Amino acid sequence: MSPRARYLATTLVLVAAVAAYALWQRPLDRPTPRLPVASAPPARPAPPPVPPTARRILDRAAVLGLTHEQVVRLRALDRFWTNEERELQAAVRDAEQELSGFMKEAQGSRGASVQQIQQRSAEYSSLSATLRERRRRHSEAALQLLDGRQRHRLAGAGPGTEVGRDR
């Protein structure tokens, strides 16, 4: 076979191979598959909704149709909770500042062990847990003053409002 014929045969085989490959890669009767889109890493779960305080319930008094007795009792709960929350918030803030000062000191010069950090952060954690627990109890007490219909309305009146159980 002459070199010219070999060249022609090789070119035809290569053209046929490229054409076959192109047709095989993109058939006309099947849709082109899509690659899955990379999703963002899973987000941290949202914090639970803040339970309604007596003040938030009183702010919706007209919508909820509160009775005079309910308003009086909710106001008393609100006054008590406002004082208690103020004291707890101040204690939490003081503990947080103390822990922050300790951490800055430890970071700057002498360092601190994990055990020392845990001991110093225990008061802050405890006070934060106490605040959350007392807020939950306050909310339960406030919700106990409402009837089932009012609780249902409260749940629909605003986002982030948790509904208590009928007892």
Side-chain angles (χ1 to χ4, degrees):
M1 194 189 278
S2 72
R4 198 171 187 185
R6 252 186 296 179
Y7 176 77
L8 182 61
T10 304
T11 303
L12 286 174
V13 168
L14 286 175
V15 168
V18 169
Y21 180 76
L23 290 174
W24 182 70
Q25 286 296 326
R26 194 175 141 192
L28 298 176
D29 59 341
R30 285 192 292 171
T32 305
R34 302 234 179 231
L35 295 175
V37 176
S39 61
R44 279 190 343 201
V50 177
T53 61
R55 169 61 29 217
R56 287 177 60 195
I57 294 172
L58 284 167
D59 290 344
R60 295 180 175 94
V63 173
L64 300 174
L66 297 178
T67 65
H68 177 70
E69 182 183 339
Q70 286 174 317
V71 170
V72 169
R73 293 176 78 183
L74 284 167
R75 282 184 182 153
L77 268 176
D78 180 50
R79 279 191 303 275
F80 178 77
W81 172 243
T82 301
N83 293 332
E84 185 176 24
E85 183 183 33
R86 187 179 308 120
E87 292 171 10
L88 285 169
Q89 288 283 7
V92 168
R93 194 172 33 259
D94 292 345
E96 182 180 25
Q97 288 174 347
E98 183 181 316
L99 178 61
S100 178
F102 169 76
M103 294 301 289
K104 284 179 184 174
E105 182 182 318
Q107 191 177 29
S109 61
R110 62 184 176 101
S113 70
V114 172
Q115 185 178 13
Q116 288 174 317
I117 294 170
Q118 287 174 339
Q119 287 173 345
R120 292 291 186 120
S121 67
E123 181 183 5
Y124 173 72
S125 297
S126 174
L127 286 169
S128 295
T130 300
L131 177 61
R132 283 190 306 274
E133 176 59 23
R134 295 223 179 124
R135 182 179 290 134
R136 185 189 62 76
R137 281 194 230 152
H138 166 75
S139 175
E140 286 178 358
L143 287 170
Q144 286 299 312
L145 298 175
L146 305 180
D147 62 27
R149 181 182 54 81
Q150 291 168 328
R151 289 181 193 157
H152 182 72
R153 281 186 180 169
L154 179 64
T161 310
E162 192 174 273
V163 179
R165 289 177 268 151
D166 283 322
R167 292 184 184 164

